[in-house]
Amino acid sequence: MTSDPYAALGVTRSASDAEIKKAYRKIARSAHPDLNPDDKTAEARFKAASAAYDLLKDPETRARFDRGEIDASGAERAPRTYYRNYAEAPGNPYRGGQRAEDFPDVSDIFAEFLRQQGQTGSARSSQGFRAGGADMRYTMEVPFLDAVNGGSTRITLPDGSMLDVKIPAGTADGQTLRLRGKGAPGLGGGPAGDAYVTLTVRPHPLYRRDGNDILMSLPITIDEAVLGGKVEVPTPGGAVSVTIPTGASSGQTLRLRGRGVKSAGGGAGDLKLELRIVAPPKVDEALAEFLRDWRKTHAHDPRKGMRT
């Protein structure tokens, strides 16, 4: 992964949040592994862009990276210290302007050392260092239907251990899950850190998401468009029967209420079906002759009014 997340997305450091999101989506659409099978270069570009977007989409994390507090992976950087910080610190025996009599007596230093050495082991152990573990950040790609309906998956961590991740129903692209206590172990008995898993939703060949609504293009035949009828439609929750109205046109939208993505408040969006009339792969002579006769007596111009 590049050390510069801005370069991974092809944006400048002054880019707005909207520009960063737009750049990530453009790369995701062109370099997604599902669209570029066996293309390692595209896969690497997609992974780098996903990690970069994970870092920059959060204003606080982006600000910390810009200040140099964390690196491109989100890991903490060691604070920069300089000689001046120590040279001018209060109590530093080497500060300029101090006199020889200001320096501590060497015998006092050894006396204090021997006093501490005389303490019991139990007393020293009670002063042991204790600290919480560091938080860990991961990215994970999930199938579209798992994001809509919910599910669970298992990921392998860098140290080889396994982590079970529950995907809530209605998960959105870019959403981050917090797994308490699944980060790095603490020191000296301190609590473990948390794991943050940012989810990227894999594109689906049939469905597209718009907020809590799901959009789908539904092909219908000429006779179904003219005569209407019932057709079976696959939805994220299972197949349902849908009535095509008589005289349907391409571009007409049918709405299936409550068949979309579940919201946090308990409701759900809709499934919107955009009708698309598809001609048969081969037009036989009987159909052609019928339409020629029909055209003579039922002339209809759907483009009327478009002339300038």
Side-chain angles (χ1 to χ4, degrees):
M1 181 181 73
T2 177
S3 59
D4 186 353
Y6 293 99
L9 294 173
V11 298
T12 64
R13 285 180 173 264
S14 61
S16 65
D17 293 342
E19 290 171 333
I20 289 174
K21 186 175 184 179
K22 181 178 179 181
Y24 166 69
R25 287 186 170 179
K26 181 178 180 181
I27 294 174
R29 286 195 297 267
S30 62
H32 197 282
D34 286 353
L35 304 176
N36 301 272
D38 302 324
D39 188 341
K40 298 300 182 183
T41 301
E43 181 180 358
R45 184 171 180 236
F46 173 76
K47 289 182 177 179
S50 297
Y53 180 63
D54 179 31
L55 184 80
L56 299 180
K57 69 182 179 66
D58 182 353
E60 181 179 350
T61 306
R62 179 183 179 183
R64 294 192 66 201
F65 173 79
D66 291 342
R67 292 194 298 267
E69 297 175 2
I70 58 175
D71 61 20
S73 68
E76 300 284 344
R77 281 178 171 160
R80 297 180 179 178
T81 55
Y82 302 94
Y83 165 76
R84 184 183 299 273
N85 299 127
Y86 297 103
E88 297 182 357
N92 183 358
Y94 298 99
R95 291 181 66 196
Q98 285 191 315
R99 301 165 297 174
E101 55 266 29
D102 293 331
F103 285 81
D105 192 321
V106 175
S107 62
D108 292 338
I109 296 175
F110 280 102
E112 176 62 16
F113 174 76
L114 293 175
R115 185 187 68 80
Q116 293 184 8
Q117 288 294 100
Q119 293 179 337
T120 64
S122 61
R124 287 200 304 270
S125 63
S126 66
Q127 301 173 1
F129 179 76
R130 184 176 185 271
D135 294 336
M136 306 298 288
R137 294 183 178 274
Y138 307 96
T139 58
M140 184 176 70
E141 187 180 68
V142 297
F144 184 93
L145 293 181
D146 282 355
V148 172
N149 299 322
S152 61
T153 187
R154 176 172 292 181
I155 60 175
T156 303
L157 304 183
D159 62 1
S161 61
M162 307 297 289
L163 180 63
D164 291 321
V165 179
K166 183 178 180 180
I167 304 167
T171 293
D173 185 63
Q175 183 173 334
T176 298
L177 305 180
R178 180 183 184 183
L179 308 179
R180 296 184 181 276
K182 299 298 184 179
L187 299 176
D194 298 332
Y196 292 87
V197 183
T198 299
L199 305 179
T200 299
V201 179
R202 186 184 307 158
H204 194 277
L206 296 180
Y207 309 118
R208 306 183 307 281
R209 182 169 174 176
D210 181 18
N212 285 336
D213 292 336
I214 296 177
L215 313 180
M216 176 183 173
S217 178
L218 179 63
I220 60 175
T221 63
I222 294 176
D223 58 294
E224 288 170 341
V226 173
L227 304 175
K230 290 186 177 293
V231 299
E232 187 176 87
V233 177
T235 76
V240 298
S241 180
V242 174
T243 299
I244 306 298
T246 302
S249 299
S250 285
Q252 184 175 346
T253 299
L254 306 181
R255 183 190 298 267
L256 303 185
R257 298 191 180 278
R259 294 281 181 175
V261 182
K262 296 179 181 178
S263 64
D270 301 330
L271 175 62
K272 298 179 180 179
L273 306 175
E274 182 179 349
L275 303 182
R276 180 169 56 90
I277 301 174
V278 179
K282 183 179 180 181
V283 178
D284 59 33
E285 185 56 31
L287 176 60
E289 183 64 27
F290 168 79
L291 291 177
R292 280 193 289 266
D293 291 340
W294 182 87
R295 180 186 292 174
K296 294 175 184 178
T297 57
H298 298 78
H300 171 63
D301 184 4
R303 294 169 296 282
K304 184 177 181 180
M306 293 181 63
R307 299 181 179 86
T308 57

